[in-house]
Amino acid sequence: MSDFIENYDIEKATDFVRGNAGAVIVVDGEADCYKCLVRQGIFTDFIDQRGSYHDLIEKLWFHFDNSTKSVVKKYQVFIPDAGKFAGKYSKRISILLDDIQHTVQMNVYPVVPSKKYIILLDELDNSLYIDDNLTEEKVTTIQDTYLFSMFIDVRLDTINSISITEISDEVMHQELKYTDWRMKIKDMIYLEEQALFVERSDPEYLKAHFAPGQTSSFDCRMMNLEGKFIWVKLIFSRVKTDDPDDFRFVYMVQNIQESMDFMTKRIDEYE
């Protein structure tokens, strides 16, 4: 038997984590506050000792990818839901500090009662993840035309696995009902087209108009993360299964502004 294992105890393990973790943060989501128990390395300058949990979530991933620029305020309505965790959660995120990109591993551990968490942050060595980075670049290239994509379960009224291309290379955890999300995102749709969005995204409409495996879409103007209205294609695709009561959908938002600009230019040329 190893002497190292026999002599290693929880106190030594705790000391090791305390000395090596980039940041150990205790959070009270209900009170919207956090405190750093450990803060070293890049996190000394990146995260304040104490602060608002809302601000911490925004700083960690509600900014444009490879940038410190925050998304427009209207989209930050989703920050509180992004900071709710029903179980253990792990995510790799990117942060920018002094114009240098850092890859960070984030692990979240919920503490009873709910909305109280311990968050561990560690900077990773990018050189050790060359294969992962190349794979992510290929996936990103495929997904670049989609501003948003996520999974919807209409029957359970849930959404999950939200991918927002401009914010992060990885999916974003959100504990949010589809019906709540739908009414929040409505405000990002151009006013004259909101009624169409409300009709086509209604759970009962989706149940009644989509056979298993069927895909449908419509075009409208939608505010992007910078606060500008652009033309997008909203796509709903029902998962194909043999269960007639399986109402899971893939939802995607495709940027078609460039195509619309080209069509407008051609029309102007003919006139």
Side-chain angles (χ1 to χ4, degrees):
M1 181 61 71
S2 166
D3 290 338
F4 171 76
I5 292 177
E6 288 301 310
N7 295 325
Y8 214 82
D9 53 26
I10 188 62
E11 286 77 18
K12 290 182 179 179
T14 302
D15 289 340
F16 180 84
V17 172
R18 184 184 296 116
N20 289 274
V24 179
I25 308 168
V26 59
V27 169
D28 186 332
E30 292 179 334
D32 186 31
C33 61
Y34 74 86
K35 178 179 72 173
C36 289
L37 304 180
V38 172
R39 186 177 56 134
Q40 50 196 359
I42 63 170
F43 302 104
T44 302
D45 296 323
F46 187 73
I47 300 176
D48 294 331
Q49 182 67 35
R50 294 173 178 266
S52 160
Y53 182 45
H54 180 286
D55 294 344
L56 178 65
I57 291 297
E58 178 184 347
K59 179 172 285 190
L60 288 176
W61 73 67
F62 258 76
H63 55 83
F64 286 93
D65 195 25
N66 300 321
S67 169
T68 56
K69 181 184 176 183
S70 296
V71 303
V72 67
K73 286 290 183 183
K74 206 160 192 176
Y75 272 101
Q76 293 180 22
V77 67
F78 293 108
I79 289 179
D81 299 297
K84 295 178 182 177
F85 301 91
K88 294 179 182 178
Y89 185 70
S90 181
K91 177 181 176 67
R92 191 177 300 173
I93 58 179
S94 294
I95 63 174
L96 195 69
L97 184 64
D98 297 329
D99 295 326
I100 299 175
Q101 196 74 23
H102 301 271
T103 302
V104 173
Q105 181 67 39
M106 179 178 74
N107 294 297
V108 181
Y109 301 90
V111 179
V112 177
S114 62
K115 297 184 181 178
K116 295 175 176 61
Y117 315 104
I118 294 176
I119 300 178
L120 271 62
L121 300 175
D122 265 311
E123 183 181 11
L124 303 178
D125 185 345
N126 286 323
S127 65
L128 300 178
Y129 297 94
I130 295 176
D131 291 340
D132 285 354
N133 291 336
L134 290 175
T135 301
E136 287 176 3
E137 286 179 8
K138 291 178 182 177
V139 173
T140 300
T141 300
I142 296 172
Q143 294 181 337
D144 264 348
T145 56
Y146 296 101
L147 299 176
F148 296 85
S149 61
M150 69 185 193
F151 296 100
I152 301 168
D153 191 320
V154 174
R155 185 173 59 86
L156 298 178
D157 192 22
T158 59
I159 63 174
N160 57 63
S161 299
I162 300 177
S163 176
I164 305 176
T165 303
E166 294 177 272
I167 291 182
S168 173
D169 291 333
E170 298 206 17
V171 297
M172 180 173 295
H173 173 91
Q174 287 203 325
E175 187 180 313
L176 183 63
K177 290 183 177 180
Y178 170 65
T179 48
D180 293 339
W181 170 88
R182 175 173 162 262
M183 298 315 294
K184 287 184 178 182
I185 207 69
K186 180 198 72 172
D187 294 331
M188 285 65 167
I189 304 296
Y190 197 69
L191 184 61
E192 295 177 3
E193 293 146 9
Q194 286 184 7
L196 177 63
F197 172 80
V198 171
E199 175 193 352
R200 296 290 185 89
S201 63
D202 183 86
E204 295 307 316
Y205 179 94
L206 295 175
K207 289 180 182 179
H209 291 81
F210 284 78
Q214 182 177 346
T215 297
S216 183
S217 66
F218 63 94
D219 300 343
C220 67
R221 284 162 289 186
M222 183 178 184
M223 183 184 293
N224 66 9
L225 298 177
E226 294 180 324
K228 299 177 182 177
F229 280 102
I230 61 172
W231 278 101
V232 299
K233 185 179 292 293
L234 303 186
I235 305 166
F236 285 90
S237 180
R238 183 177 170 184
V239 173
K240 188 174 183 178
T241 68
D242 295 327
D243 182 357
D245 295 322
D246 188 340
F247 290 101
R248 289 177 296 161
F249 290 79
V250 176
Y251 166 81
M252 293 173 286
V253 179
Q254 184 178 21
N255 184 352
I256 60 170
Q257 183 63 50
E258 188 174 331
S259 298
M260 286 295 189
D261 290 341
F262 178 77
M263 289 176 58
T264 301
K265 182 179 179 181
R266 293 299 299 271
I267 291 172
D268 290 343
E269 289 175 350
Y270 281 116
E271 293 178 348

